[in-house]
Amino acid sequence: MPSKRRGLAVLLAGLLGIASARGGQLSVEVGDPRDRAYLPAVFGAWRGVGRDLHALGLTLPDTRLEAATSASDFARRTGEPWFVAATTRGAVIHTQRLGALAARGTLPLTIRHEAFHAAQPRSLPRWLAEGLARLFSGEAERDPRGPTGLEGLPEGTLSARLAARGEGDLSAAYREATRRARQLVQTRGWAKVLARK
Ligand SMILES: [Zn+2]
């Protein structure tokens, strides 16, 4: 497509809140009109994530992103506590206000994390899904080094702790899930870990 027409297509897509990535179209609904300013960042992250998931043998489904108007709106829509950034239910990604994620510097990481969940095999246990999502997104690189204190926790208990969303120990549980997922990926590679072989 000539660059002018392509530019127009991108502009129109941005106004409509729809963009395509390899293997999956993303439509975005923002509750707060000020969040429209962050659509280019969302779509940019989406295109990158489509390529990176494809390289792992995963395909993005057509996905819908619904950004809440506030932390309480997010909690009301999802039943999640206010401090959770986003959650993916099937092919719908629910997020906090995009501006709030951008202010924290976590908007692209959150898109990558949730896109991984949208594309991952459904059969992954929760702890592994979360650990892999944080490795894939780049969030893992921000983790402090050193022991998590949860090294001896059985896998099922770790999954249950992640599901319970207790504010106090959630970040240690995410770090521990990420530590275990990283070890698996380093020794077996992404393909085998994703296939649970
Ligand atoms: Zn997650």
Side-chain angles (χ1 to χ4, degrees):
M1 200 186 292
S3 65
K4 256 189 191 164
R5 278 183 56 198
R6 186 176 154 70
L8 184 62
V10 169
L11 177 69
L12 281 174
L15 288 172
L16 293 170
I18 297 170
S20 292
R22 184 158 196 166
Q25 193 173 69
L26 178 70
S27 62
V28 179
E29 183 189 301
V30 294
D32 182 335
R34 290 171 297 176
D35 266 357
R36 302 190 76 79
Y38 302 98
L39 289 178
V42 169
F43 292 136
W46 187 256
R47 279 187 290 273
V49 90
R51 279 192 304 270
D52 294 347
L53 285 168
H54 185 78
L56 299 182
L58 297 176
T59 304
L60 270 175
D62 286 346
T63 305
R64 175 175 180 76
L65 185 151
E66 297 183 11
T69 55
S70 66
S72 56
D73 179 40
F74 176 77
R76 186 179 53 73
R77 285 171 186 242
T78 64
E80 297 283 358
W82 61 270
F83 54 84
V84 169
T87 184
T88 297
R89 312 269 166 85
V92 181
I93 298 172
H94 296 274
T95 71
Q96 298 280 358
R97 207 162 46 78
L98 299 177
L101 297 174
R104 273 187 245 160
T106 57
L107 180 56
L109 294 177
T110 301
I111 300 298
R112 286 182 69 84
H113 182 117
E114 299 306 325
F116 179 85
H117 284 318
Q120 71 168 73
R122 296 285 139 231
S123 57
L124 295 183
R126 185 166 199 131
W127 72 266
L128 183 55
E130 292 305 336
L132 292 175
R134 296 187 74 253
L135 276 182
F136 176 80
S137 68
E139 291 164 298
E141 288 163 33
R142 298 184 171 192
D143 282 347
R145 299 290 163 200
T148 63
L150 302 177
E151 284 80 357
L153 209 61
E155 290 177 356
T157 312
L158 182 56
S159 284
R161 203 172 279 204
L162 288 163
R165 306 271 202 210
E167 191 182 358
D169 52 13
L170 194 58
S171 84
Y174 272 111
R175 276 202 296 136
E176 177 60 19
T178 306
R179 190 188 67 77
R180 294 183 193 189
R182 182 190 286 115
Q183 258 177 2
L184 278 179
V185 166
Q186 281 171 350
T187 52
R188 322 202 55 179
W190 277 93
K192 282 189 177 162
V193 175
L194 287 169
R196 303 285 284 149
K197 282 182 185 156

